[in-house]
């Protein structure tokens, strides 16, 4: 369930990960539907209707002889000006009840970058399982995890020399193609960690682009350390509205 | 005995070795607005306290971040290459915020050495791209002085005049180098 029906941009992402999208769609094993008419009705949300639609889909699958049903829901609709969005916890609670002891699984995808932590904490309680990106380090002060799209790593919180070990740059270097180091939610970085990132970027940037995404105070550190002078390395704002790059880039 | 000016350091008239750590107020030493101990496990608390005092003193947002970084690096240096802990003191002179980190590593090791000077020089060396180098780039004044209670590393940040400075902006710091990202994802010069 995504913004629009049809395979859309998600299909290529699924194909990249080895899922044969076109044959599955053709065989009726997979369907891509939009929010409207399924989760939403005229830009309004009713938890009971949305849960009813999901339950109906599960029942239809059983009738058609499928052994189970997996539904992935992009939850970004809840960030829009939607009426009765406050029923979101009711929706999650209703799903939890509907999937219990059934071959139905529902994956609610919340973008950590866009949903606030209070909402995430509220809805997380209704989920029997949570799936997060591969996490290299997580404590009260710092979280370092893999970022899947664009490929790279994501750092949030505050990082200093005590955390240089789990910086996971080696993991990022192993990824193919252009690399993003997402520091949009990083509030502090000390010289030793910033230098480590610049050194890694310098090593990678010969053959591919390295994007350091960060807020202005953190961006200033990387500029001082010369990141912008390295061809192939750019410093991009957290809101994607500006970037600093070497003249050669 | 060692120590030296890093940048824009005013002439030092105090006799070396004296324990005159606070701002030069003609003999009167006002109380520090912050006097906080730190070690490797309390750097976060130190940064938070420094940020709060810097904001309270009226530094612009970007300069608060610079000050926090500078103090963190001085404290880190004392932790990693000195005695492992120390006090941080901040004075508000009305014109500047002066932050001093005292590292007693030199005093601890002095007994077994001919003098603290050689150790100090190694401990507070400035390597390009490293912490103390970054400190020198962001602070308005920096100094390192050796004294009887240890090495005192200080940074000062000029407070904005009444009315305040414009907020920190990369565009002002790096004219001609800031690009706007347009719809096709490519960067276009924004500030020619």
């Amino acid at each position: 369930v995504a913004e629009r029906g049809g395979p859309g941009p998600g299909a290529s992402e699924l194909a990249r990960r080895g899922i044969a999208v076109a044959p599955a769609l053709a065989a009726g094993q997979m369907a891509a539907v939009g929010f409207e008419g399924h989760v939403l009705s005229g830009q309004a949300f009713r938890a009971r209707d949305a849960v009813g639609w999901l339950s109906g889909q599960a029942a239809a699958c059983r009738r058609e002889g499928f052994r189970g049903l997996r539904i992935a829901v992009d939850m970004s609709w809840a960030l829009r000006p939607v009426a009765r969005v406050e029923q979101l916890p009711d929706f999650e609670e209703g799903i939890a009840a509907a999937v219990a002891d059934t071959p139905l699984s529902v994956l609610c995808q919340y973008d950590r970058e866009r949903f606030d932590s209070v909402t995430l904490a509220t809805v997380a309680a209704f989920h029997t399982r949570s799936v997060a990106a591969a996490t290299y380090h997580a404590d009260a002060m710092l979280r370092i995890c893999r970022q899947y799209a664009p490929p790279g790593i994501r750092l949030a919180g505050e990082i200093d020399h005590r955390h240089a070990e789990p910086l996971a740059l080696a993991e990022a270097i192993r990824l193919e193609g252009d690399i993003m180091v997402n520091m949009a939610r990083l509030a502090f970085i000390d010289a030793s960690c910033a230098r480590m990132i610049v050194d890694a970027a310098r090593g990678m940037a010969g053959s591919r682009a390295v994007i350091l995404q960060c807020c202005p105070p953190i961006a200033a550190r990387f500029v001082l350390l010369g990141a912008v002078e390295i061809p192939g390395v750019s410093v991009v704002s957290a809101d994607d509205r500006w970037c600093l790059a070497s003249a050669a880039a | 005995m060692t120590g030296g000016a890093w940048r824009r350091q005013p002439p030092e008239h105090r006799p070396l070795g004296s324990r005159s750590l606070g701002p030069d107020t003609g003999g009167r030493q006002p109380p520090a607005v912050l006097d906080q101990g730190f070690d490797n496990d309390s750097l976060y608390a130190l940064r938070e306290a420094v940020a709060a005092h810097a904001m309270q003193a009226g530094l612009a947002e970007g300069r608060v971040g610079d000050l926090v970084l500078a103090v963190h690096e001085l404290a880190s240096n004392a932790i990693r290459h000195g005695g492992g802990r120390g006090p941080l003191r901040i004075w508000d002179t009305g014109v500047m915020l002066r932050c001093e980190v005292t590292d007693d590593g030199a005093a601890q090791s002095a007994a077994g050495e001919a003098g603290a000077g050689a150790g100090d020089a190694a401990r507070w060396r400035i390597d390009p791209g490293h912490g103390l180098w970054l400190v020198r780039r962001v602070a308005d004044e920096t100094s390192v002085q050796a004294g009887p209670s240890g090495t005192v590393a200080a940074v000062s940040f000029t407070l904005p005049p009444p009315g305040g400075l414009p907020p920190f902006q990369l565009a002002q710091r790096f004219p001609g180098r800031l690009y706007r990202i347009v719809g096709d994802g490519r960067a276009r010069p924004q500030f020619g």
Side-chain angles (χ1 to χ4, degrees):
Chain A
V1 186
E3 177 156 9
R4 282 179 291 274
S12 56
E13 190 63 32
L14 287 169
R16 198 170 67 83
R17 294 166 192 225
I19 295 172
V21 176
L25 284 170
Q29 286 181 293
M30 180 186 279
V33 301
F35 301 140
E36 188 56 45
H38 303 102
V39 175
L40 300 179
S41 176
Q43 289 300 304
F45 177 64
R46 278 184 201 280
R48 205 173 56 186
D49 294 353
V51 173
W53 172 72
L54 286 172
S55 302
Q57 291 295 303
C61 283
R62 278 196 297 275
R63 282 196 304 275
E64 290 167 32
F66 289 107
R67 283 187 297 159
L69 175 64
R70 292 178 185 150
I71 299 177
V73 187
D74 174 1
M75 298 301 288
S76 65
W77 59 266
L79 294 164
R80 297 178 179 182
V82 167
R84 291 189 289 276
V85 72
E86 71 278 3
Q87 294 183 9
L88 184 58
D90 300 336
F91 172 67
E92 293 288 7
E93 192 174 15
I95 291 177
V99 302
D101 303 320
T102 71
L104 169 67
S105 68
V106 180
L107 180 66
C108 304
Q109 296 173 294
Y110 288 88
D111 187 343
R112 252 180 216 279
E113 298 271 308
R114 298 170 69 200
F115 280 92
D116 66 280
S117 50
V118 174
T119 301
L120 290 177
T122 304
V123 299
F126 296 111
H127 291 77
T128 53
R129 299 269 189 284
S130 66
V131 181
T135 303
Y136 307 120
H137 181 90
D139 62 23
M141 299 308 308
L142 173 70
R143 179 181 163 83
I144 305 175
C145 64
R146 170 95 183 269
Q147 175 172 293
Y148 289 95
I153 60 168
R154 178 161 54 198
L155 289 74
E158 303 204 357
I159 188 166
D160 60 30
H161 64 268
R162 294 168 305 157
H163 301 103
E165 196 78 357
L167 196 42
L169 291 171
E171 293 288 333
I173 292 168
R174 274 203 287 274
L175 301 172
E176 292 177 0
D178 298 349
I179 294 293
M180 173 178 280
V181 183
N182 179 345
M183 294 172 278
R185 296 286 178 90
L186 196 64
F188 177 82
I189 185 167
D190 73 350
S192 60
C193 290
R195 195 175 62 252
M196 207 175 290
I197 289 173
V198 171
D199 288 344
R202 187 178 287 114
M204 287 186 276
S207 53
R208 46 197 167 145
V210 178
I211 300 158
L212 308 179
Q213 186 182 45
C214 34
C215 57
I218 304 285
R221 309 274 174 269
F222 286 103
V223 172
L224 273 179
L225 289 171
V228 177
E229 314 300 331
I230 306 167
V233 175
S234 54
V235 177
V236 177
S237 70
D239 56 8
D240 281 340
R241 284 173 58 192
W242 53 258
C243 78
L244 283 159
S246 73
Chain B
M1 194 56 55
T2 184
W6 293 359
R7 194 183 73 171
R8 288 168 49 188
Q9 172 68 3
E12 179 59 69
H13 298 302
R14 287 190 288 267
L16 290 173
S18 74
R19 198 176 183 287
S20 179
L21 306 182
D24 189 351
T25 54
R28 288 176 295 109
Q29 177 125 316
V33 295
L34 179 68
D35 186 344
Q36 184 167 331
F38 62 83
D39 61 17
N40 200 37
D41 295 324
S42 56
L43 282 171
Y44 172 73
L46 184 76
R47 295 197 298 263
E48 288 300 299
V50 170
H53 281 277
M55 275 187 273
Q56 178 69 26
L59 276 188
E61 189 182 342
R63 292 301 275 163
V64 171
D66 288 345
L67 175 60
V68 169
L69 176 74
V71 169
H72 170 91
E73 294 299 339
L74 295 184
S76 284
N77 206 65
I79 289 168
R80 298 162 83 184
H81 307 300
R85 60 191 157 77
L88 164 79
R89 297 189 186 90
I90 299 181
W91 286 268
D92 184 343
T93 70
V95 179
M96 295 190 120
L97 271 189
R98 180 177 169 88
C99 311
E100 292 185 352
V101 164
T102 305
D103 167 27
D104 64 357
Q108 286 176 359
S109 62
E113 296 176 8
D120 268 4
R123 271 190 281 271
W124 294 91
R125 196 177 66 205
I126 299 166
D127 293 320
H130 287 242
L132 299 181
W133 177 87
L134 213 49
V135 169
R136 197 172 54 164
R137 297 294 299 269
V138 298
D140 292 318
E141 289 178 8
T142 56
S143 67
V144 176
Q145 294 285 322
S149 60
T151 304
V152 179
V155 289
S156 294
F157 281 71
T158 306
L159 292 169
L165 288 174
F168 177 89
Q169 286 183 359
L170 276 174
Q172 292 175 346
R173 290 199 157 196
F174 309 103
R177 297 286 298 283
L178 194 63
Y179 298 87
R180 180 171 52 92
I181 296 176
V182 294
D184 61 3
R186 276 180 289 176
R188 299 266 188 274
Q190 184 175 23
F191 301 92

